Amino acid sequence: MNFKREGKYRVDELFYLLGKIIFLPFCLFGFWFAGSGFETCGDIFTCAIRDLCGLPCPGCGGTRAFYYLFRGDFLNSLRMNATVLYGVTAYLHFMLLMFYRKHIKKTVGEEKEIQIQYYMYGAVIVILVQWLIKIINIIHYVMS
């Protein structure tokens, strides 16, 4: 594996390797958590910010979204915290694109590097939009 091209490290290749390493443990943990883990230790994953001030933080609902994702209930996962579904979708998109470039097209070294930061920009936008919607819903509920 050569991660260095023209004196620079290819970040996309490093992320591809990392993605291959974490795939199986992530799936195993997810299926365990959805099967029995949420019931046995779901109470320890409470939001300190929500407990402190009563308002959700941008990550609120992430544990339940993760739970619903691995139960196959994508709509509830999206409703709880859209970032979890976005993260899985972005991961799959990136991994499939890199697999295609590396193994089918065999042009990883010749093509432009996949810009990882665009996935992060998307995640920030999804986090902020879903958090804003939660805050608006709370305000709407309190006002009515």
Side-chain angles (χ1 to χ4, degrees), residues 12-69:
D12 57 353
E13 289 193 50
L14 291 170
F15 269 84
Y16 182 62
L17 177 63
L18 180 64
K20 289 193 305 187
I21 291 169
I22 67 167
F23 179 74
L24 185 61
F26 178 80
C27 289
L28 290 174
F29 176 77
F31 287 119
W32 168 80
F33 190 72
S36 63
F38 187 71
E39 287 81 18
T40 58
C41 59
D43 293 338
I44 64 173
F45 297 108
T46 61
C47 180
I49 294 173
R50 189 175 199 132
D51 292 344
L52 211 63
C53 67
L55 293 174
C57 75
C60 271
T63 304
R64 289 171 289 159
F66 185 78
Y67 169 77
Y68 284 125
L69 174 71

Side-chain angles (χ1 to χ4, degrees), residues 105-118:
K105 206 172 173 190
K106 298 183 186 206
T107 59
V108 167
E110 297 126 29
E111 289 192 33
K112 285 179 64 175
E113 186 174 342
I114 297 172
Q115 300 298 309
I116 304 297
Q117 67 267 24
Y118 293 130

Side-chain angles (χ1 to χ4, degrees), residues 15-21 23 90-100 119:
F15 269 84
Y16 182 62
L17 177 63
L18 180 64
K20 289 193 305 187
I21 291 169
F23 179 74
Y91 167 81
L92 289 174
H93 176 266
F94 172 78
M95 293 301 286
L96 289 172
L97 181 59
M98 277 301 289
F99 181 83
Y100 173 75
Y119 291 105

